[in-house]
């Protein structure tokens, strides 16, 4: 997900490290957090006449936070020079002793996040919003066609058996939430039933590709002067797997006005106007030759997986590691996602 505002990093240590990387010197200024989410930290600043965005793990680092940020930096560096719309990494630091966590610097993205902003052009024109949705579909479809082997990413994931691992992997993740003090356990109906359906109806593994892994519209930025995606952001769940899960993710998270989940999209979730699921699937097929006959299965898996991911923030809120209001809201979204999954399989 997105960033969470916290205290600024050690600017002296950051400047010293930037000097070691040969980046333009000067005093660090105009430091401001980029907010709007619940997970990783992002901070904008200037130095030597250049703008930067620093990204690192959350204030309360999780067991794999540093590994995740290091992986993100590696993938984004590999994607630089391709047609994929993603942030451009300037430099990465995998030594957590510098700032207390692994981090990387990237160029700012010129665009808006629809979770927190919807310019007049987009707010007042439903056709622009429909084309925003289609641009997002094109972006993930093109990502799934990239030759990850040619980019040196053969070991970035384990594509063999990717689909078979999904249900047990995320059920284990759900079990780990019990470690959060005060968490009463996942009160989510039909977790086991939906997991069983996914295992029984699993499609054969297709050819592997790069997955964003969390490609809802709040993790995309759009051009101010049109509907096109400026960049896909927040790549912490990226891997080499089945890119059709990204399509399922888009379908599962499509904001429907009046639903709890639409609240994740701010004004965009209220006004709607996005393409229909059928339009989204047809548009994906224009940029990919993958077999789309089992697309419903991928949407159910997306509901299952994302619901469990969001429940993690709910669990951490009980232990004081996330705001209670945010945890309660995301738990409500989880329940909605599982309800959608039940309707799809019924």
């Amino acid at each position: 997900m997105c960033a969470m505002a916290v205290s600024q990093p050690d600017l002296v240590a950051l400047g010293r490290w930037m000097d070691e990387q040969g980046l333009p010197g000067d005093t660090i200024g105009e430091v401001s957090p980029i907010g709007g989410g619940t997970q990783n930290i992002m901070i904008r600043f200037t130095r030597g006449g250049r703008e930067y965005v620093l990204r690192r793990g959350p204030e309360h680092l999780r067991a794999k936070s540093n590994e995740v940020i290091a992986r993100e930096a590696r993938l984004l560096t590999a994607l630089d020079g391709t047609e994929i719309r993603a942030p451009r990494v300037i430099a990465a630091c995998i030594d957590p002793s510098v700032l207390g966590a692994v981090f990387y610097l990237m160029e700012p993205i010129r665009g808006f996040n629809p979770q927190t902003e919807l310019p007049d052009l987009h707010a007042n024109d439903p056709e622009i919003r429909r084309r925003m949705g289609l641009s997002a579909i094109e972006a993930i479809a093109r990502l799934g066609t990239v030759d990850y082997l040619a980019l040196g990413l053969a070991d970035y994931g384990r594509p063999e058996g990717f689909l078979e691992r999904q249900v047990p992997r995320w059920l284990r993740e759900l079990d780990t939430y019990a470690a959060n003090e005060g968490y009463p356990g996942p009160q989510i109906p039909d977790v086991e039933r939906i997991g069983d359906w996914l295992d029984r109806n699993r499609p054969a593994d297709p050819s592997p590709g790069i997955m964003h892994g969390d490609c809802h519209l709040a993790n995309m930025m759009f051009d101010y002067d049109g509907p096109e995606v400026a960049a896909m952001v927040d790549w912490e769940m990226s891997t080499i797997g089945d890119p059709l899960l990204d399509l399922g993710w888009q379908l599962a998270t499509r904001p429907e006005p009046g639903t709890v989940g639409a609240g994740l999209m701010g004004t965009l979730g209220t006004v709607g106007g996005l393409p229909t699921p059928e339009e989204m699937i047809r548009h994906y097929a224009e940029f990919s030759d993958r077999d789309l006959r089992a697309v419903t299965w991928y949407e159910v898996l997306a509901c299952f997986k994302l619901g469990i991911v969001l429940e993690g923030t709910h669990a951490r809120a009980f232990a004081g590691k996330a705001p209670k209001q945010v945890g309660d809201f995301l738990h409500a979204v989880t329940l909605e996602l599982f309800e959608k999954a039940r309707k799809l399989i019924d």
Side-chain angles (χ1 to χ4, degrees):
M1 309 294 282
C2 297
M4 185 176 179
V6 295
S7 58
Q8 67 183 29
D10 182 338
L11 300 182
V12 173
L14 176 59
R16 186 163 52 242
W17 178 83
M18 292 178 71
D19 288 340
E20 294 170 356
Q21 310 312 305
L23 295 170
D26 202 352
T27 303
I28 293 175
E30 300 181 50
V31 181
S32 61
I34 300 174
T38 63
Q39 306 296 337
N40 293 309
I41 295 167
M42 291 195 295
I43 295 172
R44 185 189 301 267
F45 66 94
T46 60
R47 187 178 193 248
R50 185 175 188 181
E51 289 185 272
Y52 299 87
V53 171
L54 180 150
R55 180 168 167 85
R56 52 149 285 175
E59 186 171 17
H60 300 284
L61 290 176
R62 305 176 203 170
K64 294 188 176 181
S65 289
N66 285 332
E67 176 187 341
V68 166
I69 295 298
R71 278 173 53 82
E72 269 191 32
R74 178 189 172 192
L75 176 64
L76 293 175
T77 299
L79 289 175
D80 190 18
T82 71
E83 65 178 357
I84 302 306
R85 299 187 177 185
R88 181 178 178 275
V89 172
I90 299 169
C93 178
I94 60 173
D95 179 1
S97 70
V98 175
L99 292 183
V102 170
F103 66 93
Y104 62 88
L105 303 180
M106 57 183 170
E107 292 183 349
I109 298 161
R110 306 304 176 189
F112 70 92
N113 184 326
Q115 183 183 46
T116 57
E117 180 182 2
L118 196 65
D120 289 344
L121 172 66
H122 305 73
N124 296 326
D125 190 340
E127 176 58 18
I128 289 286
R129 298 194 297 274
R130 188 184 76 86
R131 289 164 57 196
M132 286 174 64
L134 295 179
S135 181
I137 291 293
E138 178 183 345
I140 61 169
R142 290 188 182 278
L143 178 65
T145 67
V146 171
D147 184 349
Y148 68 94
L149 296 174
L151 297 183
L153 296 171
D155 61 342
Y156 192 75
R158 294 187 296 130
E160 299 81 7
F162 174 80
L163 295 183
E164 287 88 340
R165 293 195 301 271
Q166 291 305 296
V167 170
R169 184 260 183 270
W170 291 103
L171 288 177
R172 287 195 303 271
E173 179 74 8
L174 190 60
D175 288 341
T176 67
Y177 299 161
N180 290 281
E181 185 177 357
Y183 179 55
Q187 299 172 8
I188 307 170
D190 291 334
V191 172
E192 297 292 342
R193 176 191 168 209
I194 294 169
D196 179 65
W197 181 91
L198 286 166
D199 278 339
R200 286 186 291 104
N201 293 276
R202 184 174 56 244
D205 276 339
S207 60
I210 301 174
M211 288 176 48
H212 179 281
D214 192 18
C215 56
H216 51 72
L217 295 179
N219 279 344
M220 296 192 176
M221 298 188 70
F222 292 84
D223 292 340
Y224 279 105
D225 57 357
E228 288 77 23
V229 170
M232 295 183 284
V233 297
D234 294 358
W235 292 75
E236 62 187 273
M237 292 174 66
S238 59
T239 191
I240 308 300
D242 187 342
L244 285 179
L245 183 52
D246 277 349
L247 174 59
W249 211 266
Q250 280 278 308
L251 294 166
T253 60
R254 176 182 177 274
E256 295 275 2
T259 62
V260 177
L264 290 169
M265 284 294 113
T267 302
L268 180 60
T270 301
V271 298
L274 293 166
T276 66
E278 293 76 19
E279 286 180 292
M280 294 164 71
I281 295 167
R282 287 196 301 269
H283 199 66
Y284 189 96
E286 292 183 22
F287 303 94
S288 172
D289 59 3
R290 295 181 182 273
D291 186 347
L292 300 179
R293 287 176 294 178
V295 68
T296 297
W297 186 90
Y298 291 95
E299 185 175 0
V300 172
L301 176 58
C303 291
F304 179 86
K305 181 175 177 177
L306 179 56
I308 291 175
V309 170
L310 297 182
E311 182 67 10
T313 300
H314 184 230
R316 288 188 293 278
F318 279 91
K321 299 175 183 178
K324 182 180 185 301
Q325 183 178 5
V326 173
D328 290 346
F329 170 69
L330 294 181
H331 177 65
V333 177
T334 291
L335 296 180
E336 202 167 69
L337 286 166
F338 273 82
E339 175 62 21
K340 177 181 282 192
R342 283 193 297 273
K343 290 179 179 178
L344 287 168
I345 70 176
D346 289 341

